[in-house]
Amino acid sequence: MASSQKSSKTLKLIVFDLDFTLWPYWADCHIQSPYRIASNEKIIDSAGNIVECYPDVPEVLADLHKKGYILGVASRCPDREGCRQLLNLFGFNKYLKYIEIHDCHKFQHFEKIKKSSGVDFSEMMFFDDDKNNIRDISSMGVVSILVREGITKQVVDDGIRQFHKRCSVQ
Ligand SMILES: [Mg+2]
C-alpha cells in the first residue's frame, strides 16, 4: 500500500458497537425481545413498539461491505439472542462476518475477532458511543472513534480519514 519508504497500515476490518451506535436504544432496557416484523413491515418489539436503527446505518454497512471491508460487531448487551434477532431483521447479518455479543470486557471481543480473522489490531477500526470502551480498545492499538449521536456516513468517512492519517506516519 505504501508508495514511499514510509510504512502504511491497511484498514481491513471495522467493528461497531450496537446500543447507541447502530440503534438508539439499550436493547435490554428500552426495547424488549422477541422482535418481529409487523403487518406494516415495521420491526416491533414484544410490546409492539417500533424499533428502528439510526437512519444512515443500512447504507453505511452496505457501502463498507461493497468496498471490501470486513465488518463486525462487539457488544456487551446481555440480550445476545435479541440483538442477533435485530441484526437479522434489519438485514445486517449479511454484512457482518464477526458478531461478538457478550457481557464481558470488550478486550475479549477484540481478542476473539483477532483470533478468528487473523487481522492485526493495527488494521482494525472501532466505533462506539462509550468513552471507556474507546479508551480501552485504543490502548490495544485499534483506531477507535467515539460516536456521539449514532453512526452516520459522516462519522464513518471522518473516522476512516483519521485511520489513514494516523497510520500513514509510521
Ligand atoms: Mg453503546
Side-chain angles (χ1 to χ4, degrees):
M1 193 85 186
S3 55
S4 68
Q5 56 272 61
K6 280 181 180 176
S7 64
S8 175
K9 293 288 180 187
T10 306
L11 175 57
K12 292 182 179 168
L13 203 158
I14 304 175
V15 180
F16 296 92
D17 168 51
L18 293 178
D19 294 349
F20 288 96
T21 296
L22 294 193
W23 50 61
Y25 316 98
W26 283 319
D28 62 322
C29 183
H30 301 121
I31 49 177
Q32 292 295 332
S33 60
Y35 306 101
R36 64 183 177 88
I37 308 271
S39 50
N40 59 3
E41 301 203 345
K42 299 275 188 189
I43 298 169
I44 57 170
D45 76 352
S46 62
N49 300 306
I50 292 173
V51 179
E52 292 177 319
C53 59
Y54 287 113
D56 281 7
V57 170
E59 196 184 334
V60 164
L61 294 181
D63 188 49
L64 293 173
H65 179 73
K66 198 173 158 192
K67 286 177 176 162
Y69 295 111
I70 306 165
L71 305 180
V73 299
S75 168
R76 298 182 58 195
C77 182
D79 186 5
R80 188 170 186 230
E81 276 318 301
C83 287
R84 283 184 164 271
Q85 218 178 18
L86 274 184
L87 290 171
N88 190 32
L89 291 172
F90 281 127
F92 299 160
N93 274 3
K94 59 182 176 286
Y95 306 128
L96 299 168
K97 188 155 185 192
Y98 301 102
I99 298 178
E100 297 294 339
I101 304 170
H102 318 278
D103 191 11
C104 60
H105 200 287
K106 286 207 180 176
F107 285 137
Q108 294 180 38
H109 302 64
F110 275 81
E111 290 291 356
K112 283 189 176 180
I113 291 172
K114 183 184 174 187
K115 198 172 172 192
S116 309
S117 65
V119 175
D120 194 79
F121 290 140
S122 64
E123 296 182 313
M124 293 185 195
M125 273 194 80
F126 178 45
F127 292 90
D128 195 304
D129 67 300
D130 184 307
K131 279 183 192 167
N132 295 327
N133 291 333
I134 294 300
R135 181 200 60 211
D136 294 346
I137 303 307
S138 290
S139 77
M140 301 173 89
V142 176
V143 172
S144 302
I145 306 291
L146 184 66
V147 176
R148 296 180 188 279
E149 289 174 63
I151 279 293
T152 62
K153 277 171 73 73
Q154 188 72 47
V155 166
V156 172
D157 289 348
D158 289 349
I160 291 176
R161 264 194 294 276
Q162 270 201 51
F163 177 94
H164 291 300
K165 211 166 154 184
R166 287 194 217 175
C167 297
S168 63
V169 182
Q170 268 253 32

